[in-house]
Amino acid sequence: MQSKKRILLAEDEEHLLEAIKLNLELEGYKVSTANNGKKALQIFKEERFNLVILDVMMPEIDGFVVAETIRLENSEVPIMFLTAKNTNEDKIAGLKKGADDYLTKPFNLEELILRVNNLVKRSLKGDDLKEFNSYKIGDKTIHFNSFELVNGDESITPLTKKETMLLKLLIERRNDAVSREQILETVWNYDVYPSTRTIDNFILTFRKYFEPDPKNPVYFHSIRGVGYKFTDQH
């Protein structure tokens, strides 16, 4: 017997959550639900899913931040946003966060099911889904899946999970300033609040790894009063 395809559904409107869950289950999907962003991230870490459906406006952590956090660890699982925000700017913002689809409320349940089926099929084939498994800075290459930094002389420096996640966030947002709050939400998931000094120390470590002259960085910058920025011409 073929195992059921699994969907994570995060929506804080209880009636809508139950209606979507029921319709997806009638289609043969196994649905795990969350009514806030923090719970959604906890569930995502515990199970494997073929699709994640996120309401944008949720308590604890909003859908955009949940999507960004998922993308730091998983570049493959399709993500669909459900939202009452229907401007082009909102849609573009959602797609930039790593979403594969964007459905505005109110929506037709039949259309939702069709879009879900298409995304799940695509996830199974792996079509058009980009791997973001490595990135080269100077003569050094970061391997995100193995938490390793391969140096120009082929020696390997092990990276911690937090180092890897912070590097991935800064690289995905390269040439843009990333706020300390954004880093806390996506890398630390609100579980632990590191001091500014803690994040500064990560940046100092990155400079030692990558900068020709750590005192005059060209890649990793501290933006006073805002956060941090990775600059590269990739």
Side-chain angles (χ1 to χ4, degrees):
M1 182 178 171
Q2 193 175 16
S3 62
K4 288 188 175 183
K5 305 300 175 287
R6 304 174 68 88
I7 294 175
L8 172 57
L9 170 63
E11 165 63 63
D12 67 329
E13 293 178 44
E14 188 177 344
H15 295 302
L16 185 56
L17 179 77
E18 290 303 321
I20 296 172
K21 181 175 185 283
L22 176 62
N23 279 271
L24 290 174
E25 287 175 342
L26 288 171
E27 289 291 312
Y29 293 108
K30 181 170 174 41
V31 184
S32 298
T33 60
N35 57 9
N36 65 65
K38 189 170 184 178
K39 186 178 178 186
L41 282 174
Q42 288 170 348
I43 294 171
F44 183 81
K45 288 171 186 286
E46 292 166 3
E47 303 175 40
R48 288 184 66 84
F49 293 97
N50 300 99
L51 174 66
V52 178
I53 303 174
L54 300 171
D55 181 29
V56 172
M57 303 298 289
M58 286 190 291
E60 302 276 354
I61 306 175
D62 71 39
F64 284 161
V65 173
V66 173
E68 269 196 314
T69 307
I70 286 173
R71 279 289 173 254
L72 288 177
E73 297 193 23
N74 188 316
S75 61
E76 296 182 3
V77 64
I79 296 174
M80 176 193 286
F81 280 127
L82 303 178
T83 180
K85 294 184 172 184
N86 60 2
T87 67
N88 284 333
E89 289 80 5
D90 290 318
K91 290 179 181 178
I92 290 167
L95 294 170
K96 279 185 175 179
K97 301 296 183 187
D100 298 271
D101 205 351
Y102 194 108
L103 192 57
T104 55
K105 300 174 183 176
F107 51 80
N108 181 295
L109 277 169
E110 192 173 344
E111 181 183 358
L112 171 70
I113 296 298
L114 286 171
R115 290 182 183 224
V116 165
N117 290 342
N118 286 336
L119 286 171
V120 170
K121 277 180 194 170
R122 202 167 87 187
S123 80
L124 297 174
K125 290 179 183 174
D127 290 344
D128 304 321
L129 296 172
K130 292 181 181 177
E131 290 274 355
F132 187 40
N133 293 332
S134 65
Y135 190 89
K136 190 168 185 179
I137 301 174
D139 65 345
K140 299 176 180 177
T141 304
I142 307 158
H143 292 277
F144 296 106
N145 290 345
S146 58
F147 306 122
E148 290 176 334
L149 176 63
V150 178
N151 305 295
D153 59 2
E154 297 300 315
S155 63
I156 293 174
T157 303
L159 299 170
T160 67
K161 187 173 182 182
K162 287 282 188 285
E163 283 177 336
T164 308
M165 290 177 72
L166 181 52
L167 279 168
K168 194 164 191 181
L169 174 63
L170 292 171
I171 289 167
E172 286 184 339
R173 299 280 300 278
R174 60 187 169 273
N175 304 320
D176 290 334
V178 182
S179 70
R180 291 183 184 87
E181 184 178 77
Q182 185 105 50
I183 290 169
L184 289 171
E185 289 173 345
T186 54
V187 178
W188 271 267
N189 289 341
Y190 287 113
D191 293 338
V192 179
Y193 276 101
S195 67
T196 298
R197 174 56 56 194
T198 303
I199 304 176
D200 280 341
N201 286 338
F202 274 77
I203 299 299
L204 289 172
T205 301
F206 295 162
R207 286 174 182 163
K208 287 176 189 172
Y209 288 159
F210 299 103
E211 301 286 359
D213 178 3
K215 291 183 179 177
N216 295 291
V218 294
Y219 296 117
F220 294 93
H221 310 274
S222 298
I223 311 297
R224 188 180 294 278
V226 179
Y228 308 86
K229 179 168 76 169
F230 170 72
T231 305
D232 197 10
Q233 300 309 312
H234 265 53

